[in-house]
Amino acid sequence: MKITDLRCAVIGKHPIVRIVTDEGLYGLGEVEFTKTYLKPFVLHFRDALIGEDPTDVERVMLRIRQRGSFKPYGAAVSAIEHALWDIAGKAANVPVYKLLGGKVRDKVRVYNGSIRQKRSGDRPEDYAADVKWMMERPENFFMVKQGISFHSNMKTSIEGFHYGVSQPNHYHGAMDQGVISERGFNHMLDCVAAMKEVLGDKVSLALDCGPGWMLPDAIRFAQAVEKYNLMWLEDMLTGDYVPWVNPQAYRELTTSTSTPIHTGEQIYLRHNFKELIETQAVRVVGPDPADIGGIAELKWVAEHAYMHSILMAPHGTANGLLGLGALINVCATLPANYIAFEYPSASDPFWNDIVTGLPKQIVRDSMVDLLEGPGLGVDIDAEAAKPYLREEDAGFFD
């Protein structure tokens, strides 16, 4: 089998990768909806893939893996890798998890990071109402994650929140950074107290915090919330679009508190997790299979973290329904350090009409069944999707 074409079309907000072969099989991969601009970056790998056997996934990846980078530029490589596994599974007529070593669980646990309503504000009572709405949803999520501090509007909506320079909110990935004021610090604590009063010990709470914190503030906050038994504090020092890791600072933060510290969504390749894991600089790693370089890359990191008693909770909130298929397949194979992955829902309602292979109710009691279809188990109905194609992508499904 040979690859005859690499295509990319932006459907809705997502760049969708389609790898075509001379035997009629094709594979799909999906880039986060926050990265609509990556279509040209995907397509510049075309010449490297034409003529290769897509079922030799690792051999093909060796041609392009070194050309990716930290978020967002690892996404193009990652989506191509997903499409290759999709073809390999279809060629073998098995789900991709069978090719990754087989499943160790029949259902995969997820947490809520994507199913949201517009919060009424940034006051403690607004946060409390928001988590109440989340915990009463039919998915019965065991855990919800909320953005605070630099990963929320409170950095600008709360007067005098911090002493740094404010970046424009309209540009995704612009990072505020600086020392947090006493007023800002106490406001965050009030919000945490309000959320925990609602959630109790029935639904766990994690906080997406940054990046942008200075280390002394991060230590003080992590210690101040120890009594709330949070699942984790995420990306306080680095994360999102920060193209470095800073394991030494994370290790000082981690060893200062009993509150679990989490990072990793922006990190590309296992090599950049090495020091973070081997120095036990965090308690939880959260790579995104659509940014790290693919699902095999994520599995390698999970196994390495397991050997160092570090927990695994993959990121994925914006990965879409094809990205959901990738997350389900890889997380079915992960070791006992696996907690849950961040559930990605449809970024636009029409995705529920054009993606096939998923049940009508995907999440039940915070669990997702494995997909038994070959490959990643999800596909796009070409006829249903054609109205959403741009004119330049009219031949995408040919």
Side-chain angles (χ1 to χ4, degrees):
M1 185 188 303
K2 301 296 181 185
I3 296 172
T4 57
D5 202 4
L6 168 66
R7 302 173 186 172
C8 186
V10 178
I11 303 178
K13 304 167 191 169
H14 296 266
I16 304 298
V17 173
R18 189 169 190 259
I19 296 177
V20 183
T21 71
D22 60 355
E23 294 187 13
L25 292 180
Y26 61 87
L28 298 174
E30 182 167 18
V31 176
E32 278 188 318
F33 68 73
T34 54
K35 303 167 185 166
T36 306
Y37 50 86
L38 280 189
K39 176 181 174 180
F41 200 76
V42 171
L43 292 175
H44 95 271
F45 289 117
R46 185 177 183 275
D47 290 344
L49 269 63
I50 300 300
E52 294 295 308
D53 184 339
T55 65
D56 291 330
V57 177
E58 178 62 14
R59 179 171 175 167
V60 177
M61 291 304 296
L62 286 172
R63 297 178 69 88
I64 66 172
R65 187 178 284 133
Q66 77 280 5
R67 295 293 296 274
S69 189
F70 276 55
K71 183 179 179 177
Y73 298 107
V77 175
S78 303
I80 289 170
E81 195 253 19
H82 296 180
L84 292 170
W85 280 114
D86 194 27
I87 294 172
K90 291 172 180 175
N93 198 31
V94 296
V96 166
Y97 67 76
K98 292 283 189 183
L99 305 180
L100 296 174
K103 65 182 180 181
V104 298
R105 49 185 64 83
D106 295 318
K107 296 177 182 289
V108 183
R109 190 177 304 278
V110 301
Y111 72 87
N112 185 29
S114 71
I115 301 180
R116 298 186 177 276
Q117 60 177 355
K118 184 174 176 57
R119 197 169 53 241
S120 53
D122 299 310
R123 302 167 299 174
E125 55 265 37
D126 301 319
Y127 272 91
D130 201 28
V131 296
K132 184 176 187 296
W133 177 83
M134 288 186 192
M135 74 182 295
E136 291 175 349
R137 288 193 55 81
E139 295 87 358
N140 196 23
F141 287 109
F142 88 104
M143 183 194 112
V144 299
K145 187 169 78 176
Q146 279 283 44
I148 66 163
S149 184
F150 296 117
H151 208 81
S152 72
N153 290 329
M154 68 170 62
K155 64 189 177 185
T156 51
S157 66
I158 304 303
E159 185 178 356
F161 181 80
H162 70 102
Y163 302 122
V165 176
S166 292
Q167 300 292 335
N169 284 333
H170 65 271
Y171 187 73
H172 190 261
M175 185 171 73
D176 279 30
Q177 191 174 22
V179 175
I180 296 171
S181 68
E182 184 175 1
R183 173 189 292 182
F185 194 92
N186 290 336
H187 177 80
M188 289 188 292
L189 291 180
D190 290 343
C191 290
V192 175
M195 287 188 283
K196 284 300 294 181
E197 186 174 352
V198 171
L199 297 172
D201 60 2
K202 294 179 182 178
V203 177
S204 296
L205 176 65
L207 300 179
D208 202 342
C209 299
W213 295 59
M214 298 292 104
L215 181 58
D217 286 340
I219 291 173
R220 287 171 56 234
F221 188 80
Q223 292 174 346
V225 297
E226 286 177 347
K227 62 183 178 182
Y228 296 115
N229 295 316
L230 301 180
M231 285 294 287
W232 63 68
L233 298 175
E234 182 173 333
D235 287 351
M236 299 186 90
L237 309 178
T238 62
D240 211 6
Y241 291 88
V242 178
W244 60 83
V245 182
N246 209 355
Q248 300 92 337
Y250 266 115
R251 189 172 192 281
E252 185 171 349
L253 173 58
T254 289
T255 57
S256 74
T257 180
S258 63
T259 303
I261 304 301
H262 171 302
T263 197
E265 72 177 65
Q266 89 286 11
I267 299 175
Y268 182 64
L269 298 186
R270 72 200 95 155
H271 311 73
N272 292 307
F273 280 90
K274 186 175 186 294
E275 186 178 354
L276 200 67
I277 290 171
E278 293 178 359
T279 63
Q280 295 182 308
V282 291
R283 301 295 184 215
V284 190
V285 288
D288 191 315
D291 282 303
I292 190 178
I295 56 179
E297 202 75 24
L298 184 143
K299 182 173 170 63
W300 284 320
V301 169
E303 299 285 359
H304 197 52
Y306 171 69
M307 292 191 294
H308 292 79
S309 296
I310 293 171
L311 301 175
M312 164 64 77
H315 183 267
T317 184
N319 291 5
L321 299 185
L322 300 183
L324 173 62
L327 277 159
I328 293 170
N329 273 276
V330 67
C331 291
T333 74
L334 299 186
N337 60 338
Y338 174 74
I339 303 172
F341 71 76
E342 186 176 26
Y343 174 66
S345 53
S347 56
D348 289 296
F350 71 79
W351 283 103
N352 294 309
D353 300 323
I354 71 173
V355 171
T356 62
L358 292 167
K360 188 167 185 179
Q361 184 175 342
I362 300 171
V363 181
R364 296 176 184 270
D365 292 328
S366 210
M367 305 292 280
V368 177
D369 290 328
L370 301 192
L371 305 177
E372 297 304 328
L376 294 178
V378 286
D379 204 345
I380 294 178
D381 182 326
E383 287 302 314
K386 280 182 179 178
Y388 303 102
L389 285 177
R390 300 176 180 183
E391 185 176 348
E392 66 193 69
D393 298 320
F396 182 70
F397 292 107
D398 292 349

